[in-house]
Amino acid sequence: MEFVKLERKPVDEKGAIAIEAVAAKQSVGELLEEFRQTIVQAKNLEADATWEDVDAAGSQAMGVEAFRELKRDFVVNHLVAEAMRQLEIHAALTPKIHVLEYPDASSDYRVDLSVVEQPQLRLSSYEPVTVHADMIEVTDMAVATRVADVLDRYATYEDADPKPIAMGDVVLVDVDTQQDDQLVGKLSGKHRVLAMDQDAMPKPFLEGIVGMEVGETRKVEFAVPRPRGISEEDVDRYISTVTMIAQQRKIEVELTDEWVRAHYPSVENVEAFFEEARKDVAFDIDNLNRDRVAHLANVELEKRLLGSIPDEFYQASYRNLMDKFERDLAKQGKTLDDYYEEEKTNEQELSVKMLIQSGESLKQGFALEALFDGRSMELTDEEISDAAARFFGDRDDVETLERKGRLKLVQSMAKRSKAMAWLVETANVLPE
């Protein structure tokens, strides 16, 4: 491709490179001809179909304006890619492109763009980090709690002789809880089994149903302090309509060798059952300890980061985090307004929170990549495919990832994972 002008301007205060690219009319004509042939093949037109035929077919399929923009974008994307190749510029973020006209084969075509390259970052040290954390240990109490939780899933309930409800009882209730005339799902339900000494419902609610009789319906008004409350009056207020269906008696499981073999055929007896529970607890605690060390180690590594990160990266990181947050809410059938209402927060508070989180995540990710590069780590094809499977679900090879345009992103994620593994394995962990 021939350019009559291709100029790279100095990096601005935000870390972006401005480029002015003017493609020669001959190159514009060649790109338009390539577009024409692409549409001819896609629409099964005659090989010598005229532009009028091509425009008519495309406009019929997607509308005149949309097809016109598609033609423009085809030319612009090829032009931008070639301009950056010739200038040896590698965009780390999607370039910002500005055009004033639609391309025409009879004239040169100008495109202005702003490109941000990967920042040149390094660490002040590439040695292992030191973190302070008290590691969780496997205790007999933790194992006993895990066994009790398992047995509790097999417990059954039967009706008990009715009496006035007291703390410590187990009851069966219908409960409808409202806040500002809106149903609160987590505090409502039909035929809910409630233990009066547990936290399935707020303590003020449990205190409000003490003394109820089986068959009685009562309206209970109660308040729960807000997590970010700053005064005694900063509470959430609820009104629950409660119908006491039955007094319940919990039938505990008797843990015997016979029960173990009946429910867990691969386990021989009670002693082996406890050993399996200990292994499960140890596995969970190892993961918790590793996650904690990973977080603290990444924070310490970030402190070593040297160099400047362009503002556009912070903006992109913030947008990505907000987009993911909204997608996660949508999966729950919720909107941002629902979140603001439930959490008693607002757009400004959420925005500040997301800005802080996205900034920390951005810097910690760059620190890991700097560690990877600074220690001359290398990726295998298998590690790249593993990363592709984790992040995209498909275990594609390098060639497939490159064809899909995912290779750079997957390589970046794989680098961070490998650097994080080294960081955790070598971290010097001292007591708090």
Short mmCIF file of all heavy atoms in Angstrom, two decimals, residues 45 47 58 77 81 83-84 93 107-108 154 157 162 188 196 205 253 261 305 312 334 346 363 400:
data_model
loop_
_atom_site.label_atom_id
_atom_site.label_comp_id
_atom_site.label_asym_id
_atom_site.label_seq_id
_atom_site.Cartn_x
_atom_site.Cartn_y
_atom_site.Cartn_z
N LEU A 45 -22.65 -13.27 -6.68
CA LEU A 45 -22.88 -12.46 -7.87
C LEU A 45 -21.93 -12.89 -8.99
O LEU A 45 -20.97 -13.64 -8.76
CB LEU A 45 -22.65 -10.98 -7.53
CG LEU A 45 -23.51 -10.38 -6.40
CD1 LEU A 45 -23.09 -8.93 -6.15
CD2 LEU A 45 -24.98 -10.46 -6.72
N ALA A 47 -18.89 -12.68 -11.49
CA ALA A 47 -17.54 -12.19 -11.21
C ALA A 47 -17.32 -10.78 -11.72
O ALA A 47 -16.54 -10.00 -11.14
CB ALA A 47 -16.51 -13.14 -11.82
N GLY A 58 -25.72 -5.44 -1.43
CA GLY A 58 -25.37 -5.16 -0.04
C GLY A 58 -26.41 -4.33 0.68
O GLY A 58 -26.77 -4.61 1.83
N ASN A 77 -9.86 -0.14 8.09
CA ASN A 77 -9.16 -1.15 8.89
C ASN A 77 -7.88 -1.63 8.19
O ASN A 77 -6.84 -1.81 8.83
CB ASN A 77 -10.08 -2.33 9.17
CG ASN A 77 -11.19 -1.98 10.15
OD1 ASN A 77 -11.06 -1.03 10.92
ND2 ASN A 77 -12.29 -2.72 10.11
N ALA A 81 -4.06 -0.84 9.66
CA ALA A 81 -3.15 -1.96 9.93
C ALA A 81 -1.84 -1.78 9.16
O ALA A 81 -0.74 -2.00 9.70
CB ALA A 81 -3.81 -3.28 9.55
N ALA A 83 -0.58 1.08 7.97
CA ALA A 83 0.13 2.25 8.47
C ALA A 83 0.94 1.91 9.72
O ALA A 83 2.11 2.29 9.85
CB ALA A 83 -0.86 3.37 8.77
N MET A 84 0.34 1.17 10.64
CA MET A 84 1.07 0.80 11.86
C MET A 84 2.19 -0.18 11.57
O MET A 84 3.24 -0.14 12.21
CB MET A 84 0.08 0.22 12.89
CG MET A 84 -0.86 1.27 13.46
SD MET A 84 -1.72 0.72 14.96
CE MET A 84 -2.64 -0.69 14.33
N LEU A 93 -3.89 -1.27 22.81
CA LEU A 93 -5.33 -1.06 22.92
C LEU A 93 -5.89 -0.77 21.54
O LEU A 93 -5.15 -0.41 20.62
CB LEU A 93 -5.63 0.13 23.86
CG LEU A 93 -5.15 0.01 25.30
CD1 LEU A 93 -5.39 1.33 26.04
CD2 LEU A 93 -5.84 -1.14 26.02
N SER A 107 -9.69 9.66 -5.40
CA SER A 107 -8.92 10.61 -4.61
C SER A 107 -8.19 9.92 -3.47
O SER A 107 -8.53 8.81 -3.07
CB SER A 107 -9.85 11.70 -4.04
OG SER A 107 -10.83 11.13 -3.19
N ASP A 108 -7.15 10.63 -2.97
CA ASP A 108 -6.44 10.12 -1.80
C ASP A 108 -7.41 10.09 -0.60
O ASP A 108 -8.44 10.76 -0.59
CB ASP A 108 -5.26 11.04 -1.48
CG ASP A 108 -4.27 11.14 -2.63
OD1 ASP A 108 -4.25 10.22 -3.46
OD2 ASP A 108 -3.52 12.15 -2.69
N TYR A 154 -27.63 -34.79 56.00
CA TYR A 154 -28.42 -36.01 56.03
C TYR A 154 -29.47 -36.01 57.15
O TYR A 154 -30.25 -36.95 57.28
CB TYR A 154 -27.51 -37.24 56.19
CG TYR A 154 -26.66 -37.53 54.98
CD1 TYR A 154 -25.38 -37.00 54.86
CD2 TYR A 154 -27.16 -38.31 53.93
CE1 TYR A 154 -24.60 -37.26 53.74
CE2 TYR A 154 -26.38 -38.59 52.81
CZ TYR A 154 -25.10 -38.05 52.72
OH TYR A 154 -24.33 -38.31 51.61
N TYR A 157 -36.18 -33.97 59.66
CA TYR A 157 -37.00 -33.26 60.65
C TYR A 157 -38.38 -33.90 60.73
O TYR A 157 -38.92 -34.38 59.73
CB TYR A 157 -37.14 -31.78 60.27
CG TYR A 157 -35.83 -31.03 60.26
CD1 TYR A 157 -35.02 -31.01 59.12
CD2 TYR A 157 -35.40 -30.37 61.40
CE1 TYR A 157 -33.82 -30.33 59.13
CE2 TYR A 157 -34.18 -29.68 61.41
CZ TYR A 157 -33.40 -29.67 60.27
OH TYR A 157 -32.21 -29.00 60.28
N PRO A 162 -46.41 -29.21 69.86
CA PRO A 162 -46.43 -27.74 69.80
C PRO A 162 -46.30 -27.12 71.19
O PRO A 162 -46.83 -27.63 72.18
CB PRO A 162 -47.79 -27.43 69.17
CG PRO A 162 -48.63 -28.62 69.46
CD PRO A 162 -47.71 -29.80 69.48
N SER A 188 -37.54 -14.36 52.73
CA SER A 188 -38.90 -14.87 52.55
C SER A 188 -38.84 -16.33 52.13
O SER A 188 -37.79 -16.85 51.77
CB SER A 188 -39.64 -14.04 51.48
OG SER A 188 -39.67 -12.67 51.82
N MET A 196 -33.68 -21.57 65.54
CA MET A 196 -33.78 -20.30 66.25
C MET A 196 -32.46 -19.84 66.87
O MET A 196 -32.40 -18.75 67.44
CB MET A 196 -34.85 -20.39 67.34
CG MET A 196 -36.26 -20.63 66.81
SD MET A 196 -36.91 -19.17 65.98
CE MET A 196 -37.12 -18.05 67.37
N PHE A 205 -35.34 -10.55 63.89
CA PHE A 205 -36.50 -11.29 63.41
C PHE A 205 -36.80 -12.47 64.33
O PHE A 205 -37.95 -12.71 64.72
CB PHE A 205 -36.25 -11.78 61.98
CG PHE A 205 -37.27 -12.77 61.49
CD1 PHE A 205 -38.44 -12.34 60.89
CD2 PHE A 205 -37.08 -14.15 61.65
CE1 PHE A 205 -39.40 -13.25 60.46
CE2 PHE A 205 -38.02 -15.06 61.22
CZ PHE A 205 -39.18 -14.61 60.62
N VAL A 253 -28.09 -37.72 62.52
CA VAL A 253 -27.52 -38.97 62.01
C VAL A 253 -26.56 -39.56 63.04
O VAL A 253 -25.76 -38.83 63.62
CB VAL A 253 -26.76 -38.70 60.69
CG1 VAL A 253 -25.97 -39.92 60.25
CG2 VAL A 253 -27.73 -38.29 59.60
N ARG A 261 -20.37 -46.82 55.32
CA ARG A 261 -20.28 -47.70 54.15
C ARG A 261 -21.52 -47.58 53.29
O ARG A 261 -21.45 -47.68 52.05
CB ARG A 261 -20.06 -49.14 54.59
CG ARG A 261 -18.64 -49.41 55.11
CD ARG A 261 -18.39 -50.89 55.29
NE ARG A 261 -19.13 -51.44 56.42
CZ ARG A 261 -18.65 -51.51 57.65
NH1 ARG A 261 -17.44 -51.03 57.93
NH2 ARG A 261 -19.39 -52.04 58.62
N LEU A 305 7.11 -1.74 40.76
CA LEU A 305 6.88 -1.38 39.37
C LEU A 305 7.42 0.02 39.07
O LEU A 305 7.12 0.98 39.77
CB LEU A 305 5.38 -1.44 39.07
CG LEU A 305 4.96 -1.37 37.60
CD1 LEU A 305 5.51 -2.58 36.84
CD2 LEU A 305 3.44 -1.33 37.49
N GLU A 312 -4.98 5.92 29.12
CA GLU A 312 -5.93 5.10 28.37
C GLU A 312 -6.05 3.69 28.94
O GLU A 312 -7.11 3.07 28.87
CB GLU A 312 -5.53 5.03 26.90
CG GLU A 312 -5.96 6.22 26.06
CD GLU A 312 -5.00 7.40 26.21
OE1 GLU A 312 -4.09 7.32 27.07
OE2 GLU A 312 -5.17 8.38 25.48
N LYS A 334 -30.53 -8.79 37.40
CA LYS A 334 -30.52 -7.51 38.11
C LYS A 334 -29.92 -6.41 37.23
O LYS A 334 -29.20 -6.68 36.27
CB LYS A 334 -29.70 -7.62 39.41
CG LYS A 334 -30.25 -8.60 40.41
CD LYS A 334 -29.35 -8.67 41.64
CE LYS A 334 -29.87 -9.67 42.66
NZ LYS A 334 -28.99 -9.75 43.85
N ASN A 346 -24.71 4.30 45.64
CA ASN A 346 -25.11 5.09 44.47
C ASN A 346 -24.04 4.99 43.39
O ASN A 346 -22.99 4.36 43.58
CB ASN A 346 -25.36 6.56 44.86
CG ASN A 346 -24.16 7.17 45.57
OD1 ASN A 346 -23.02 7.04 45.13
ND2 ASN A 346 -24.40 7.85 46.69
N LYS A 363 -2.21 -2.41 37.52
CA LYS A 363 -0.80 -2.33 37.91
C LYS A 363 -0.24 -3.68 38.34
O LYS A 363 0.91 -4.02 38.02
CB LYS A 363 -0.64 -1.30 39.04
CG LYS A 363 -0.85 0.14 38.58
CD LYS A 363 -0.61 1.14 39.68
CE LYS A 363 -1.73 1.12 40.70
NZ LYS A 363 -1.59 2.19 41.71
N THR A 400 -4.35 -21.45 15.77
CA THR A 400 -5.79 -21.14 15.82
C THR A 400 -6.04 -19.84 16.57
O THR A 400 -6.87 -19.02 16.16
CB THR A 400 -6.56 -22.28 16.49
OG1 THR A 400 -6.31 -23.50 15.78
CG2 THR A 400 -8.06 -22.00 16.50
#
